[in-house]
C-alpha cells in the first residue's frame, strides 16, 4: 500500500501502525526521494511524507498532483485500471489530520483527478482516542473541537465544529464525510464503500481497519531496542499543543525576542547542553498567530536544532510537532528512514541514514512510555 501524508508526524504514525502489523515499511520525505530509492513494492507499505499542510493551498495542490502523477508508481500498480491484489480494494490511502487541519478538500480533489477515483470517503474520526463525528459535528473527548485548544491553532484554527461548515465544498467534489463514533462504525463504512472506486482518506483508526482488512493475518514484529543509557538527547517541542516536560533534562526556552521575529540565534541560551549532554528546546509563548508566525517559529527552531546537532552529535533526536519535524529533517537533509519501533500511537522511532535515532510525535498525542 502507498500512503500519502500531509505532514511527517502523521506519516510516522501510519508507518508505526504498518510496522506493528508486520509490514515492511519505509518512510520517505517527498516523492523524489522515494523514486530515487525505487521504494514502491507490492510487499509492504511505503509512506510518503509531505509538508502540504504547511504550504499554501495552491502549493499543496501542485505538490499533490506531482506526487500522484509520478511515473514511479507504475512499478507498483496502475491506478487507472486498479490492478491490485489485496483483499480490500485499497492500494492508496491519504492520511489527513485527526483535528481537521490542512487543505483537505483541495488535496483530495487534486488526488482524485490525478488518479481517477470518482469519489472519496473522508473520515478524520479517531474513536480510539476519543475523537468522533456525531451528526456532522467533530468532538474530542465529548467536547466540540471549536471549544478545545485547536481553536488557537496558528494556521488552521477550529472556528466551527461542523464538518459541513468547515468543508462546505466537499459534497461538490463527491467527497463523503460520514459520522463515526466507534471502530465498528469505521468497519461498516469501509464495507459500504469498498468497491475499488473509492479513495479512503482520514486518520489512523481508518488506516488501521483498512490494513487489517487487506492482509490475511495481523502479527506483531519485534522492535529494535532503543538506545537509552548514557545517550545524548535533543528534544524539540515545536507544537502549539506541547506541554511542559519534567524528565531531568534542562530546558532552553525560545527567547521572546526570537519568538517576536528576530533571527538572531545568539539570543537563545543553550549553554546547558555543554554540561548536561542533553537539552529540550521549547516555545513558551502563544500570543502571536498567523501563517508568517508559524513559518518563522519552525524555521528558527530548525536552524537552532541544526546548529546544536552539528556541535553535539546527539544519539537521539526527538521532535514534537509535524511542521517543526519537517523543517528540521529537511534542513538536516535526512529524507529516508527505517521504522524501528512504535512507542505509543503516533510516537514512532526511526533510524536515519546518519545513524541517529529519531522519534517523532504529533503535538496533541501523549508521549506513552518514551521517557
Amino acid at each position: 500500500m502507498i500512503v500519502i501524508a500531509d505532514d511527517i508526524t502523521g506519516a510516522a504514525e501510519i508507518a508505526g501502525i504498518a510496522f506493528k502489523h508486520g509490514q515492511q515499511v519505509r518512510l520517505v520525505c517527498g516523492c523524489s526521494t522515494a523514486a530515487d530509492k525505487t521504494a514502491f513494492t507490492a510487499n509492504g507499505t511505503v509512506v510518503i511524507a509531505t509538508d502540504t499542510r504547511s504550504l499554501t493551498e495552491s502549493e499543496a495542490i501542485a505538490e499533490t498532483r506531482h506526487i500522484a502523477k509520478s511515473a514511479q508508481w507504475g512499478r507498483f500498480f496502475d491506478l487507472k485500471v486498479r490492478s491490485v491484489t489485496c483483499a480490500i480494494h485499497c492500494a492508496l490511502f491519504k492520511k489527513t489530520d485527526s483535528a481537521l487541519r490542512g487543505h483537505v478538500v483541495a488535496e483530495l480533489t487534486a488526488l482524485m483527478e490525478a488518479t481517477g477515483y470518482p469519489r472519496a470517503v473522508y473520515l478524520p474520526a479517531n474513536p480510539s482516542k476519543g475523537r468522533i463525528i456525531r451528526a456532522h459535528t467533530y468532538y474530542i473527548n465529548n467536547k466540540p473541537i471549536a471549544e478545545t485548544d485547536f481553536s488557537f491553532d496558528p494556521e488552521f484554527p477550529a472556528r466551527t465544529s461542523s464538518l459541513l461548515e468547515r468543508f462546505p465544498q466537499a459534497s461538490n467534489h463527491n467527497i463523503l464525510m460520514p459520522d463515526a463514533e466507534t471502530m465498528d462504525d469505521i468497519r461498516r463504512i469501509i464495507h459500504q464503500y469498498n468497491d475499488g472506486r473509492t479513495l479512503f482518506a482520514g486518520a489512523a483508526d481508518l488506516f488501521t481497519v483498512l490494513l487489517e482488512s487487506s492482509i490475511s493475518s495481523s502479527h506483531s514484529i519485534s522492535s529494535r531496542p532503543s538506545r537509552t543509557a548514557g545517550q545524548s538527547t535533543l528534544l524539540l517541542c515545536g507544537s502549539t499543543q506541547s506541554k511542559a516536560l519534567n524528565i531531568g533534562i534542562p530546558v532552553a526556552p525560545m527567547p521572546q525576542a526570537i519568538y517576536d521575529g528576530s533571527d538572531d540565534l545568539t539570543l537563545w541560551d543553550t549553554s546547558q547542553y555543554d554540561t548536561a549532554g542533553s537539552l529540550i528546546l521549547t516555545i513558551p509563548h502563544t500570543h502571536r498567530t498567523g501563517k508568517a508566525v508559524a513559518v518563522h517559529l519552525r524555521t528558527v527552531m530548525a536552524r537552532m536544532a541544526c546548529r546544536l546537532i552539528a556541535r553535539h552529535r546527539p544519539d537521539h533526536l526527538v521532535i514534537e510537532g509535524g511542521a517543526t519535524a519537517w523543517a528540521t529533517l529537511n534542513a538536516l537533509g535526512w529524507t529516508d528512514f527505517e521504522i524501528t519501533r512504535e512507542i505509543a500511537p503516533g510516537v514512532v522511532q526511526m533510524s536515519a541514514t546518519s545513524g541517529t535515532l529519531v522519534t517523532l510525535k504529533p503535538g496533541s498525542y501523549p508521549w506513552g512510555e518514551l521517557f
Side-chain angles (χ1 to χ4, degrees):
M1 185 184 295
I2 293 174
V3 179
I4 302 175
D6 68 355
D7 87 321
I8 194 169
T9 52
E13 179 181 17
I14 292 298
I17 293 170
F19 179 83
K20 185 173 64 176
H21 283 78
Q23 295 279 290
Q24 297 178 354
V25 187
R26 290 183 65 239
L27 186 151
V28 294
C29 298
C31 191
S32 59
T33 301
D36 291 342
K37 302 289 187 178
T38 60
F40 303 124
T41 69
N43 298 319
T45 297
V46 176
V47 185
I48 303 174
T50 73
D51 193 37
T52 52
R53 194 187 304 172
S54 296
L55 302 179
T56 65
E57 184 173 289
S58 60
E59 291 170 338
I61 291 172
E63 180 67 9
T64 299
R65 287 173 176 165
H66 171 68
I67 291 175
K69 293 180 179 179
S70 170
Q72 300 295 328
W73 286 28
R75 300 176 185 176
F76 183 64
F77 62 89
D78 184 347
L79 280 170
K80 296 296 184 182
V81 299
R82 305 285 182 265
S83 55
V84 294
T85 57
C86 55
I88 195 167
H89 303 295
C90 178
L92 173 65
F93 180 78
K94 180 68 170 77
K95 170 65 172 68
T96 65
D97 182 44
S98 65
L100 312 182
R101 294 171 296 184
H103 308 289
V104 175
V105 172
E107 289 188 43
L108 283 180
T109 300
L111 197 54
M112 291 162 67
E113 291 173 350
T115 59
Y117 282 104
R119 72 179 176 192
V121 167
Y122 170 52
L123 192 60
N126 258 349
S128 67
K129 300 177 181 65
R131 302 184 177 194
I132 67 168
I133 304 169
R134 180 190 304 132
H136 305 297
T137 300
Y138 198 92
Y139 295 89
I140 297 180
N141 296 324
N142 295 317
K143 180 181 292 188
I145 190 172
E147 300 175 15
T148 71
D149 287 345
F150 287 105
S151 64
F152 303 109
D153 187 84
E155 295 184 80
F156 299 97
R159 296 192 175 98
T160 177
S161 302
S162 167
L163 267 68
L164 300 180
E165 295 176 0
R166 183 74 176 259
F167 308 108
Q169 298 300 316
S171 61
N172 295 339
H173 297 282
N174 210 17
I175 299 171
L176 311 179
M177 300 185 294
D179 288 352
E181 299 184 47
T182 67
M183 296 298 284
D184 283 340
D185 287 340
I186 294 178
R187 295 184 182 96
R188 172 185 52 78
I189 291 166
I190 291 174
H191 179 75
Q192 180 178 354
Y193 295 106
N194 172 30
D195 57 2
R197 294 167 51 81
T198 302
L199 172 63
F200 287 98
D205 283 356
L206 175 61
F207 176 77
T208 299
V209 177
L210 281 168
L211 185 63
E212 290 173 350
S213 302
S214 68
I215 55 181
S216 57
S217 61
S218 297
H219 59 283
S220 299
I221 59 179
S222 59
S223 301
R224 295 182 183 180
S226 58
R227 299 182 293 274
T228 54
Q231 72 176 10
S232 170
T233 298
L234 176 61
L235 198 160
L236 313 181
C237 295
S239 169
T240 57
Q241 305 293 318
S242 296
K243 306 300 181 184
L245 291 172
N246 183 13
I247 55 175
I249 296 177
V251 176
M254 178 184 290
Q256 184 168 331
I258 292 180
Y259 178 84
D260 286 338
S262 173
D263 293 321
D264 185 2
L265 295 184
T266 63
L267 299 174
W268 201 332
D269 182 9
T270 60
S271 59
Q272 293 182 87
Y273 206 156
D274 295 324
T275 55
S278 293
L279 193 67
I280 300 174
L281 301 184
T282 65
I283 305 175
H285 316 287
T286 59
H287 59 271
R288 302 178 70 213
T289 60
K291 178 73 173 181
V293 174
V295 171
H296 169 71
L297 293 178
R298 59 177 171 258
T299 299
V300 294
M301 181 73 84
R303 287 177 53 213
M304 178 55 79
C306 288
R307 176 179 294 193
L308 294 174
I309 289 169
R311 178 173 179 176
H312 295 279
R313 303 288 181 185
D315 302 301
H316 190 185
L317 174 62
V318 184
I319 313 178
E320 182 180 32
T324 298
W326 179 272
T328 303
L329 296 178
N330 185 62
L332 290 167
W334 298 354
T335 59
D336 196 347
F337 303 90
E338 180 184 357
I339 307 303
T340 60
R341 187 183 179 197
E342 184 192 57
I343 303 293
V347 186
V348 177
Q349 290 187 337
M350 317 179 295
S351 177
T353 52
S354 65
T356 305
L357 184 68
V358 178
T359 299
L360 302 183
K361 184 189 84 70
S364 61
Y365 283 27
W367 287 101
E369 297 182 356
L370 177 62
F371 302 116

